[in-house]
Amino acid sequence: MLTLDNIQIDLGGQTIVENFSLHLAAGECLALSGASGCGKTTILRAIAGLVALEDGSIRCHARRLAYLFQEPRLLPWLRADENVRLVAPEADTARIRTLFRELWLDDKDLRKYPHELSGGMQQRVALARAFVVEPAVLLADEPTGSLDFATGQEIIAQLFALNQAQGCTLVLVTHDRNLAQQCQRQITVQAGRLA
């Protein structure tokens, strides 16, 4: 499903990731953990095609990939439903409503602008935006990093529930050991390499 073969990533003249290889099967749930600045997010962004490789290759046998950032990154001038529809213009309202209900949001939240939603509600909208495309691979970069503990736990429970329901491969970047242990596999990154 997803294979990274001896990838090297250089940024600003410095090697950030070196000789990093990984294979993930369809539906697998993987946690990438490690200290800040070790290269976890850079690896995730390379998988998404947001960072160029200096060497090596990434093969993803999936047509639909979604990226969940640490912050919701909602467009402030669009309502919640419009932020979701932005990535899937063909999605019908019934599908979006169903996702909102699964994420503990109600119909009135569809019509709200980001500034009218709490941080946790904004991240739920971001989750709906990620899952509306029914991704084969979901890349999640510290999706609870900007939330309080209780809200973060709710978001993670919903992330795993949707992951299992849709059967997508999940790659989760986290500093949280307890969260990493909930994944099927855990990999520690140290100075851009497998520890």
Side-chain angles (χ1 to χ4, degrees):
M1 164 62 70
L2 178 63
T3 303
L4 285 66
D5 189 20
N6 289 319
I7 67 168
Q8 178 178 325
I9 303 168
D10 295 348
L11 297 174
Q14 181 180 4
T15 299
I16 306 298
V17 177
E18 188 173 20
N19 297 326
F20 190 92
S21 296
L22 173 68
H23 177 77
L24 281 171
E28 193 168 357
C29 181
L30 169 76
L32 282 177
S33 58
S36 293
C38 70
K40 303 179 305 291
T41 294
T42 303
I43 292 166
L44 208 65
R45 290 182 178 175
I47 295 169
L50 301 174
V51 173
L53 298 181
E54 187 69 25
D55 198 10
S57 65
I58 296 176
R59 292 183 303 282
C60 183
H61 305 286
R63 292 185 182 187
R64 292 181 312 277
L65 183 140
Y67 197 106
L68 187 62
F69 293 92
Q70 183 172 345
E71 303 84 25
R73 296 201 180 183
L74 303 178
L75 297 178
W77 57 87
L78 296 179
R79 295 184 317 261
D81 63 326
E82 293 170 331
N83 267 285
V84 172
R85 199 178 306 280
L86 189 64
V87 298
E90 74 288 351
D92 62 18
T93 302
R95 167 84 176 125
I96 294 172
R97 276 195 176 120
T98 299
L99 275 171
F100 269 50
R101 286 187 193 116
E102 289 173 354
L103 293 165
W104 303 348
L105 295 166
D106 58 36
D107 287 348
K108 67 182 178 195
D109 296 324
L110 285 166
R111 311 293 293 170
K112 289 183 178 176
Y113 289 90
H115 72 274
E116 300 173 305
L117 301 169
S118 69
M121 292 171 81
Q122 288 182 34
Q123 194 66 328
R124 288 183 178 99
V125 173
L127 264 175
R129 183 180 57 199
F131 278 100
V132 74
V133 297
E134 298 182 354
V137 177
L138 175 63
L139 307 172
D141 187 6
E142 292 280 359
T144 62
S146 61
L147 302 173
D148 64 79
F149 179 78
T151 304
Q153 292 299 104
E154 290 173 3
I155 294 293
I156 287 301
Q158 292 165 336
L159 175 64
F160 283 132
L162 284 169
N163 167 252
Q164 295 221 339
Q166 291 192 7
C168 70
T169 300
L170 174 62
V171 182
L172 176 67
V173 165
T174 184
H175 290 100
D176 185 338
R177 278 195 184 160
N178 292 328
L179 176 54
Q181 290 172 350
Q182 295 177 52
C183 297
Q184 293 167 329
R185 279 172 62 195
Q186 301 92 44
I187 291 178
T188 302
V189 181
Q190 187 173 15
R193 297 173 178 259
L194 288 174

